[in-house]
Amino acid sequence: MMRALLLLAAAKALVPTLPTQRRSSRAALTMMAEKKDDVAVVILAGGTGSRMKADRPKQFLPLRGKMIIKYSLDLFLNDIEGICKVVVVLAEQYRQDFKEYADRVTFADPGAERQDSVKSGLDSCPEDAALVAIHDAARPLVTPDEIYSVFGDAREHGAAVLGVPVKATVKESGDGKFVLRTVDRSRLWEVHTPQVIEPALLKRGFAKVDAEKLEITDDVSVVEQLGAPVRLTLGEYTNLKVTTPDDMVVAGQILDQRRGKSGWRKLLFWK
């Protein structure tokens, strides 16, 4: 009970500070005006989510009565203009839970690593797509404003990623026990998804990664390996990745706030 109360207090203090005020970029506004249906979306849903310690991968857990991944699916399928295809990278065993989407999405098989899953999704995208937007299924809180902004920046620069400046003090450690130094956070960004890239650029990057057996941690890292620019699109702190039970608590409160609900008792439950 004490842990739950502490989580309530932490979430209550956190949520009002989460949104970051930002302006829509000129490129994003231009894209919305042109209404080109040439962006393919790849939703990655192949992770196991071991840190959640649940009976299923985190993206399939209910959040306020709705499966986490379905927030992203419904957003891209129903609310975002300019989409030509939605590809869901999802293991065969879970696809029976998505029958209502069967006629509107294409399924692709996940790979051993994230980059393998991205390549699998990319192979299912239309060849004439101008951009590919790669999104984590465990990020149910991304907003249309964020999506249009990162789409516009990617259209202008070739690659763009949503992110926010790091707010916490960051320490580096060499052994995981003692502080080596304090990192200058003024140059640090926490990156989110969608990460949006021109398909040709992404394919060139994967060719280099495969040839040189490089390890990458996110999608735009592939572009970085080519020395090509990646635009940082200012996002929202609310676009969190649901990874732990504590994240479920905060995500639920953000949803309640967006729906105009109050009532902290709801934070005690996942649905």
Side-chain angles (χ1 to χ4, degrees):
M1 183 65 181
M2 180 59 70
R3 184 173 182 272
L5 291 174
L6 289 172
L7 285 173
L8 294 182
K12 190 171 183 179
L14 174 63
V15 171
T17 69
L18 288 173
T20 301
Q21 190 173 20
R22 57 194 172 83
R23 298 171 296 175
S24 296
S25 69
R26 182 172 60 182
L29 294 174
T30 300
M31 178 183 172
M32 291 171 67
E34 293 175 349
K35 295 183 180 179
K36 295 180 179 179
D37 294 337
D38 59 359
V39 180
V41 177
V42 175
I43 298 178
L44 300 179
T48 58
S50 58
R51 282 178 287 180
M52 186 63 75
K53 298 179 180 179
D55 61 350
R56 72 201 88 166
K58 56 184 179 290
Q59 58 270 25
F60 307 128
L61 292 172
L63 176 63
R64 292 298 189 265
K66 182 176 179 177
M67 194 181 294
I68 287 175
I69 182 179
K70 291 187 178 182
Y71 284 94
S72 297
L73 277 169
D74 291 343
L75 178 63
F76 283 109
L77 288 171
N78 302 326
D79 299 329
I80 303 299
E81 296 182 354
I83 306 299
C84 63
K85 170 79 76 173
V86 173
V87 179
V88 183
V89 181
L90 180 68
E92 180 75 33
Q93 69 193 87
Y94 297 112
R95 294 178 189 175
Q96 69 271 12
D97 295 326
F98 297 87
K99 292 180 180 178
E100 70 268 37
Y101 300 98
D103 295 334
R104 304 182 67 193
V105 305
T106 297
F107 292 108
D109 294 326
E113 303 293 339
R114 180 188 178 92
Q115 63 198 66
D116 301 316
S117 293
V118 173
K119 283 190 285 187
S120 177
L122 181 61
D123 288 341
S124 297
C125 292
E127 292 185 2
D128 59 351
L131 297 171
V132 175
I134 303 156
H135 185 60
D136 289 328
R139 291 189 186 272
L141 301 172
V142 66
T143 65
D145 187 33
E146 289 179 286
I147 291 170
Y148 284 127
S149 292
V150 74
F151 280 8
D153 282 344
R155 193 177 292 280
E156 183 176 353
H157 300 282
V161 57
L162 280 176
V164 291
V166 170
K167 295 192 295 185
T169 298
V170 180
K171 303 286 187 181
E172 181 181 349
S173 173
D175 57 6
K177 297 179 180 179
F178 295 95
V179 173
L180 182 63
R181 67 186 181 97
T182 301
V183 180
D184 179 9
R185 69 182 177 191
S186 67
R187 301 178 63 186
L188 299 180
W189 282 63
E190 175 187 323
V191 297
H192 299 164
T193 67
Q195 301 191 12
V196 189
I197 308 165
E198 292 178 350
L201 191 61
L202 188 57
K203 290 175 182 178
R204 282 174 47 214
F206 275 133
K208 179 179 175 65
V209 167
D210 291 342
E212 300 181 15
K213 293 182 171 45
L214 302 173
E215 292 186 8
I216 59 170
T217 56
D218 70 340
D219 313 307
V220 293
S221 295
V222 174
V223 180
E224 294 168 34
Q225 292 295 333
L226 296 172
V230 176
R231 181 72 162 88
L232 286 166
T233 302
L234 182 61
E236 305 282 351
Y237 288 95
T238 49
N239 187 15
L240 59 87
K241 186 174 183 178
V242 178
T243 304
T244 67
D246 291 356
D247 296 331
M248 294 286 285
V249 172
V250 177
Q253 174 56 18
I254 294 170
L255 284 172
D256 286 349
Q257 188 181 60
R258 289 178 177 177
R259 294 167 178 172
K261 294 182 180 180
S262 57
W264 289 89
R265 288 185 63 191
K266 288 183 176 291
L267 281 176
L268 295 173
F269 307 95
W270 284 8
K271 61 179 179 179

